[in-house]
């Protein structure tokens, strides 16, 4: 039998391999030629804008993390005056490590993405295959960095402390940073996007990415800080949380039955997932007659295949339980099914997008209504899929003994997220080629090149739908297993507080019919809605500020409106508005969920929190799926009309579809994907505060 | 001690008193003078259109009810081949009685509303106070008829059978009819409304209610069949369900401890609620310097006061438990708080409506986004309110003994619905004065009269927000207590099936952490979204059909477009399209929830159903509140701009607000209020089928 240390070593080695791979990809991207002066210049603007935003954002978040670290030192896992100094210190350090790893991954992603955009634009002159590779490999640097650092972080924390509660602290660090990064980046990107569209396309009738528009650089910066850095932080968080939840369960079982086989299994599966992603990334390229969508999707499927085979081999080799392998395979399979179902609702060759485009002929109200209706339907396959995979993985693993059932669910989440490296690579590819399109336009590379970048961009949108399905599905399963982790934490804390004797359980579940649970469920269900509203209103307010600034520039800078040679708008003013506004708006939104958790915990104790988490998951998944899918559907309806259907560009149907797309922008890029992180943060806060809630609550 | 029969007699007497009151109000309305030829004629069109729709709808529903009755005869409460003939027969009859009572109440409401509209229009020539009284008393006929028949039906069924499961059958009859009536009426009314607006206001620029528009009569018919008949069926159903749930609990306690005091209490409280509503209705009038909103709201508050005092007196007189009185008072109080909170989000003197109006200056996308965001926030007070009232009423009554806690929650729902007679009167007032406005326009009664009817109409909209808060809150509490009723039914059925011994419990609750429960929750959460989508798409499709018909008429009827003297459009064609379309669309939507329940039950058994009901409640309340409130907010933002703000009528902001209002139409009048009924139906189906699910399910 191989010892646990060997697995930890293997994980560390593969994590380092991922960094090596990222380094190689980075240097490959960096070696690609750049000649166009104008593209260099604009790309420089974007890079500096993104760096400036990140610096400001991280400075605010560092202060926030510092405060939280002090609170952790004082209160978590138990109040410091109860003699819990060392555990609290370790927890605070783990928390800070989580935030630091997450910030680092975002920073790396931004660095490479803001180089890769220009490379991709210029490579498009040589043809689509070369351009695709620049975009994809730029994204893959981010993918490798995120997954490498999450695996490395989790492995090191576990190796050093041997304690899974500390892992939850690390995970909380990652997710609290992700919450703000996703919300802040999401507000930034949509502020700039909507303001640029409203003033440029709608008011002046100038094309997207026209350099006269003062918001155009901010828009491109937004793609990077929202979709690259924010999304990276989000998936870093999901990945860490799924591993942490699985390890909490595995360690509890191992402790009860002796041995380390289940912990070893989690590490080996996570490491294999990363390895599979490395292979998938390294082999991804467009064949001669392929389209980019096919290339992206097929490398995703290759990765899932490699994962399934390698984990099966590991199961044989190390004598892991086949049933748990089954749970992980079910997670992966359901992830694919959810992805395909999501794709159905956002693909322009399918009925929902086409019907919405047709409804647009009758005006924007019907565009919105059709989109909302199909968006509502689209939640069904994903929710049923998550439910069924939880059910099957539970039933598969339940016969193995006490604790295995919930461990099975957490392994389904690990399975679903195994290919997260591939997912991030595909996701980060999107904003890179989107930027490349803008650079090609501003650099005057001609229509042929624009057509190539348009094709690459649209593939990015389509693939995003599938990967988002994976991300939301995995978050759902992870949070279900975090509910199990919460119960373990409560029971451990109850023993420590002498509320029950050692070996006894303070609580074994949450009864729906208990009104304290029900109260928690109702409040928990409201939180994702309120959180989404705060983000949407944040975008709304910030957009109005930026529109005013753009009007001011058009009114006061002579020759700007007419596009006089040599007249340049004050791009940095718009970047500043987006930056300051998003930082100002993200704090209350980010805190809302955390504070609500604390209030509910102090009122209804751990019982109410159980319901609260369930309500939060249910409503969070519902709204996240609804908003992400509806936004994607509207975006593609607009693109479908632009491809010449229902009157094409400039028709009434197109105008209606543009309005739908604008509504969808903060749905799909600000609120929808942030909910994921919100539900994870709330779960982790609950687990970490379980002692406190046991000690102080209005209702027991 | 007074015997139970005395209470049953009292209930019957007060129910009959309500009918007497309805008869008196009807004859009062009917006696109001009518002179204007044109108004008579148009009102006749509306009356015949509504009658024709109701006839067609009831014919379809009669067939549906017949099929369900046969299924009940065969399977419910237990399969007929297990010797359960008489109980099944009684259940089938109770079911049919529920549908018949509900249909009758709708029919009465339509009869009087389609007379009162013309009376109200003509009375406006004599001043606002007289006109208000016509509108209000017309609505009150409906209120009295609905509450009288629900109390009478429940009392008689209980008196005859003495069995509470049969009451659930009666309630299921009421709610299955309500589901279709609300969905069908909602599709009808919004089809006509949107089609009339799109072709009239938007394309041709002719005013609302212009007689040239072929859809204008269908629009007025729609107000009656959607808002009067549909809403009446909906509240009939809620009222019956809340009484039935309370009686199930009360009877179980009485059976265990001996006596009939709790059943007597339910009847006495329900009867007092009706009495309070009768007094409130009889005394409602506009003071000299009042506005109609004040008159409507103050009579609502008077009713709540009378209820609280009379129930306290009854509690003293008959020795009921004070704690249960407390639960009922908490329900009433929280209902008022939810109403006020809802009002905040839809009142044009408050920030949300005004901000949304301001955002409309920047185009329809921001109108939609602001509305959605405030709509999301608006769910919080109601969900927290429902949660807190459930928690308080549970904690209040729990010390009384086994079973009292859930009985307390059901009595909170009874308290919240005690003033349902007043709520329906206020609600039915809305479409009557809306119709009156149209008739005043078509009858050429002049601007002064139009101004009066406009004022009355806008009061109707404002009051609706508050009453909707009550209705949704009460549905939430009722369904929570129906979850308790479901457990009772399962335990009884389990004893009957020899799964457990008599006196033992098959199940005592549903553990959130059980994945079968979680699976049910996720599926249950998806259903209200899918149901809403089907209704919205139904409106969408049907509107497109009607728009085509309107275009055909304008193109082929010479002189219609120009408004040539004597040229009349073919109104009945549009009524026919709305009728056939809505009947065709309502069946699949209505069946979706019922079928999903059956599928989940056969897969996961009663355990999954427990989770399914919880998920359904959570997501149903969330979406119902969101859609109702957002729709009301958009409607009032449009009206606020029309009052002269942000450029007034015809401005860009107004155009944007009209688009928001159109999106909101099916939100607030089709999908939102139908969800109430959907969650009730699903709960009742689950309770009734508990035996079947115990016998046949894939997972135990």
């Amino acid at each position: 039998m191989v010892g646990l240390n060997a697995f930890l070593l293997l994980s560390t080695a593969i994590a380092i391999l991922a960094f090596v791979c990222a380094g190689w990809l980075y240097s490959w991207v960096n070696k690609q030629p750049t000649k166009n002066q104008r593209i260099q210049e604009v790309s420089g603007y974007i890079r500096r804008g993104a760096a400036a935003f990140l610096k400001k954002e991280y400075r605010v978040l560092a202060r926030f993390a510092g405060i939280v670290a002090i609170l952790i030192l004082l209160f978590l896992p138990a109040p410091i005056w109860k003699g819990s100094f060392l555990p609290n210190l370790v927890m605070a350090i783990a928390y800070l490590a989580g935030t630091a790893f997450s910030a680092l991954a975002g920073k790396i992603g931004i660095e490479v993405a803001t180089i890769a955009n220009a490379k991709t634009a210029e490579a498009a002159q040589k043809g689509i295959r070369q351009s695709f590779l620049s975009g994809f490999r730029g994204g893959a640097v981010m993918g490798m960095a995120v997954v490498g650092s999450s695996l490395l972080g989790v492995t090191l924390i576990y190796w050093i402390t041997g304690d899974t509660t500390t892992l939850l602290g690390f995970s909380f660090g990652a997710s609290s940073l992700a919450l703000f990064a996703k919300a802040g980046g999401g507000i930034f990107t949509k502020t700039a996007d909507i303001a640029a569209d409203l003033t440029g396309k709608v008011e002046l009738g100038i094309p997207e990415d026209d350099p006269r528009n003062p918001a155009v650089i901010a828009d491109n910066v937004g793609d990077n800080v929202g979709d690259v850095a924010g999304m990276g932080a989000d998936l870093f968080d999901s990945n860490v949380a799924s591993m942490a939840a699985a390890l909490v369960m595995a360690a509890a079982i191992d402790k009860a039955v002796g041995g380390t086989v289940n912990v070893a299994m989690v590490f080996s599966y996570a490491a294999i997932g990363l390895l599979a992603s490395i292979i998938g990334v390294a082999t991804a390229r467009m064949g001669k007659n392929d389209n980019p969508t096919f290339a992206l999707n097929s490398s995703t499927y290759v990765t899932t295949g490699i994962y399934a085979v390698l984990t099966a081999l590991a199961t044989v080799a190390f004598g892991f339980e086949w049933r748990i392998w089954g749970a992980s395979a079910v997670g992966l399979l359901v992830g694919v099914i959810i992805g395909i179902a999501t794709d159905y609702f956002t693909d322009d060759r399918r009925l929902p997008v086409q019907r919405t485009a047709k409804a647009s002929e009758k005006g924007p109200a019907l565009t919105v209504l059709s989109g909302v209706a199909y968006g509502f339907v689209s939640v069904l396959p994903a929710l049923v899929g998550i439910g069924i995979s939880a059910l099957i993985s539970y039933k598969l693993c339940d016969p193995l003994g006490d604790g295995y059932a919930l461990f099975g669910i957490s392994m389904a989440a690990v399975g679903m997220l195994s290919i997260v490296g591939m997912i991030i690579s595909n996701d980060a590819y999107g904003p890179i080629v989107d930027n490349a399109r803008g650079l090609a336009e501003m650099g005057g590379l001609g229509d042929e090149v624009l057509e190539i970048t348009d094709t690459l961009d649209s593939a990015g949108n389509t693939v995003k739908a599938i990967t988002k399905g994976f991300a939301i599905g995995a978050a759902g399963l992870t949070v279900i297993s975090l509910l199990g982790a919460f119960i373990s934490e409560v029971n451990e804390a109850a023993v420590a507080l002498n509320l029950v004797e050692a070996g006894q359980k303070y609580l074994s579940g949450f009864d729906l019919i208990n009104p304290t649970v029900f109260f928690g469920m109702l409040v928990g269900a409201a939180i994702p809605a309120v959180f989404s509203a705060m983000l949407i209103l944040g975008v709304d307010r910030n957009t109005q500020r930026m529109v005013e600034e753009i009007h001011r520039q058009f009114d006061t800078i002579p020759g700007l409106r007419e596009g006089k040679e040599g007249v340049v708008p004050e791009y940095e003013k718009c970047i500043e508005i987006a930056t300051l506004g998003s930082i100002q708006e993200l704090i209350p939104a980010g805190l809302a969920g955390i504070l609500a958790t604390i209030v509910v915990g102090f009122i209804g104790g751990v019982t109410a929190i159980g319901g609260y988490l369930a309500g939060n998951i249910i409503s969070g998944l519902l709204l996240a799926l609804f908003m992400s899918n509806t936004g994607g559907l509207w975006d593609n309806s607009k693109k479908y009309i632009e491809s010449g259907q229902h009157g094409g560009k400039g028709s009434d149907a197109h105008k209606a579809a543009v309005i739908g797309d604008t509504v969808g922008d903060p749905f799909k890029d600000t609120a929808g994907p942030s909910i994921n992180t919100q539900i994870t943060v709330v779960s982790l806060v609950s687990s970490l505060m379980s002692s406190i809630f046991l000690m102080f609550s209005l209702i027991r």
Side-chain angles (χ1 to χ4, degrees), chain A:
Chain A
M1 186 57 213
V2 186
L4 179 58
N5 281 339
F7 288 99
L8 295 171
L9 199 61
L10 176 78
S11 287
T12 312
I14 291 184
I16 291 170
L17 181 64
F19 283 114
V20 172
C21 178
W24 181 82
L25 290 167
Y26 181 84
S27 73
W28 185 89
V29 169
N30 213 14
K31 269 202 301 247
Q32 301 308 302
T34 35
K35 292 176 209 142
N36 187 304
Q37 194 65 36
R38 176 76 184 139
I39 289 186
Q40 284 308 302
E41 189 190 333
V42 177
S43 165
Y45 277 128
I46 297 173
R47 188 155 49 248
R48 282 191 300 278
F53 169 76
L54 227 54
K55 200 171 161 191
K56 277 220 175 87
E57 188 185 48
Y58 283 173
R59 200 179 297 154
V60 173
L61 294 185
R63 230 172 292 158
F64 170 82
I67 295 170
V68 174
I70 293 172
L71 290 174
I72 290 177
L73 191 64
L74 292 175
F75 297 109
L76 296 181
I80 198 168
W81 59 87
K82 304 230 164 183
S84 170
F85 177 72
L86 195 64
N88 288 19
L89 182 67
V90 171
M91 181 69 86
I93 293 171
Y95 170 81
L96 289 174
T99 61
F101 270 75
S102 169
L104 184 71
K107 179 74 185 158
I108 293 174
I110 286 281
E111 278 298 318
V112 65
T114 52
I115 294 171
N117 54 9
K119 310 285 184 180
T120 306
E122 297 223 27
Q125 293 170 297
K126 293 194 212 145
I128 191 164
R129 291 173 62 194
Q130 190 66 16
S131 182
F132 169 81
L133 215 54
S134 291
F136 179 78
R137 291 191 165 170
V141 173
M142 175 77 173
M144 293 297 110
V146 164
V147 189
S149 53
S150 56
L151 184 59
L152 188 66
V154 169
T155 309
L156 291 182
I157 298 268
Y158 187 81
W159 215 342
I160 296 169
T161 69
D163 174 37
T164 49
T165 309
T166 312
L167 270 182
L168 293 179
F170 180 74
S171 184
F172 177 50
S175 67
S176 67
L177 200 89
L179 183 64
F180 292 108
K182 196 79 200 94
I187 292 173
F188 186 115
T189 178
K190 290 302 121 175
T191 295
D193 189 3
I194 298 177
D197 280 358
L198 284 180
T199 53
K201 275 197 221 169
V202 180
E203 287 179 20
L204 295 181
I206 55 178
E208 195 168 341
D209 298 323
D210 189 297
R212 276 174 287 172
N213 195 325
V216 72
I217 303 286
D219 186 10
N220 281 296
V221 171
D223 289 341
N224 288 293
V225 301
D227 290 357
V228 179
M231 183 274 307
D234 176 17
L235 284 166
F236 177 82
D237 152 54
S238 300
N239 199 29
V240 169
S242 76
M243 282 190 272
L247 285 169
V248 168
M249 309 286 169
I253 300 173
D254 284 346
K255 196 174 158 192
V257 303
T260 54
V261 62
N262 290 304
V263 169
M265 183 171 190
V266 176
F267 280 109
S268 89
Y269 274 41
I272 288 172
L274 178 49
L275 188 64
S277 294
I278 294 175
I279 298 171
V281 163
T283 57
R285 48 181 47 82
M286 269 176 76
K288 258 197 187 144
N289 304 313
D290 292 352
N291 61 49
T293 311
F294 178 82
L296 292 169
N297 282 341
S298 61
S299 47
T300 304
Y301 293 136
V302 165
T303 309
T304 62
I306 295 174
Y307 174 79
V309 172
L310 288 185
T311 47
L313 291 178
T315 305
V316 176
F318 306 119
F320 299 143
E321 289 291 349
W322 275 107
R323 287 175 173 269
I324 304 177
W325 178 85
S328 144
V330 163
L332 191 58
L333 188 68
V334 170
V336 173
I337 292 171
I338 294 175
I340 292 171
T342 311
D343 183 51
Y344 173 80
F345 286 95
T346 52
D347 189 324
D348 66 6
R349 287 162 306 176
R350 304 290 179 181
L351 192 137
V353 169
Q354 294 190 356
R355 285 268 172 91
T356 304
K358 185 169 185 326
S360 302
E361 285 182 0
K362 304 231 157 64
L366 292 184
T367 312
V368 173
L369 282 172
S370 296
V372 167
Y374 287 114
F376 276 150
V377 179
S378 76
V379 306
L380 184 71
L383 289 182
V384 173
I386 295 170
I388 288 185
S389 58
L391 193 55
I392 295 180
S393 48
Y394 186 99
K395 294 279 170 190
L396 261 178
C397 301
D398 198 30
L400 296 175
D402 207 25
Y404 276 96
L406 283 171
F407 179 48
I409 295 181
S410 68
M411 287 304 283
V414 169
M416 211 181 263
L417 274 180
S418 59
I419 57 159
V420 68
M422 216 38 226
I423 293 176
I424 299 171
S425 306
N426 286 356
D427 248 11
Y429 159 92
I432 292 174
V433 293
D434 192 348
N435 261 224
R437 196 213 164 278
L439 291 170
E441 169 117 26
M442 289 187 263
L445 297 188
D447 283 349
E448 211 170 305
V449 169
L450 272 180
E451 204 174 294
I452 287 179
T453 53
D454 269 341
T455 310
L456 293 175
D457 187 17
S458 124
N461 275 318
T462 312
V463 168
K464 227 180 184 177
I466 299 181
T467 55
K468 260 183 198 157
F470 265 86
I472 295 178
L477 285 176
T478 300
V479 185
I480 296 174
S481 54
L482 281 175
L483 197 57
F486 174 63
I487 295 184
S488 311
E489 293 293 319
V490 169
N491 286 328
E492 272 186 34
V495 171
L497 293 167
N498 293 320
L499 295 173
V500 295
E501 278 172 47
Q504 284 200 310
K505 282 186 178 176
Y506 179 81
L507 94 125
S508 60
F510 304 99
D511 188 358
L512 270 182
I513 206 76
N514 179 342
T516 309
V517 173
F518 220 96
F519 161 75
M521 277 179 77
L522 288 167
V523 179
I527 297 307
V530 172
F531 174 72
S532 304
M534 291 172 86
L535 293 181
I536 293 172
L537 289 174
V539 170
D540 205 344
R541 274 191 292 267
N542 216 17
T543 302
Q544 300 197 18
R545 284 193 279 263
M546 194 182 286
V547 166
E548 271 163 35
E549 167 63 20
I550 296 170
H551 285 162
R552 187 196 66 76
Q553 292 198 20
F554 275 124
D555 292 344
T556 58
I557 301 177
L560 179 61
R561 198 185 292 264
E562 301 75 28
K564 212 170 129 186
E565 189 76 26
V567 176
V568 179
E570 301 169 5
Y571 296 127
E572 63 289 344
K573 281 270 166 66
C574 285
I575 296 177
E576 208 181 299
I577 287 175
T579 303
L580 292 180
S582 62
I583 286 174
Q584 178 184 331
E585 306 281 358
L586 68 83
I587 297 284
L591 285 180
I594 298 178
L595 291 179
T597 313
I598 296 176
V599 170
V600 169
F602 282 144
I603 292 177
V606 292
T607 315
I609 289 289
Y612 175 83
L613 294 180
N616 198 255
I617 297 169
I618 298 286
S619 140
L621 288 176
L622 181 75
L623 293 179
L625 289 163
F626 164 65
M627 289 198 278
S628 297
N629 295 347
T630 311
L633 185 154
W634 278 323
D635 192 354
N636 285 338
S637 292
K638 183 195 71 177
K639 295 214 168 94
Y640 180 67
I641 292 176
E642 283 173 353
S643 78
Q645 305 291 329
H646 304 291
K649 271 195 185 179
S651 64
D652 282 349
H654 183 238
K655 280 180 196 143
V658 167
I659 290 168
D661 181 39
T662 311
V663 174
D665 268 338
F667 274 29
K668 73 177 196 302
D669 292 324
T670 311
S674 301
I675 291 179
N676 259 0
T677 329
Q678 185 266 309
I679 55 180
T680 318
V681 168
V682 158
S683 300
L684 291 166
V685 171
S686 305
S687 280
L688 291 172
M689 291 193 62
S690 45
S691 281
I692 309 276
F693 294 148
L694 278 173
M695 281 186 270
F696 313 100
S697 75
L698 202 61
I699 300 172
R700 301 266 141 172

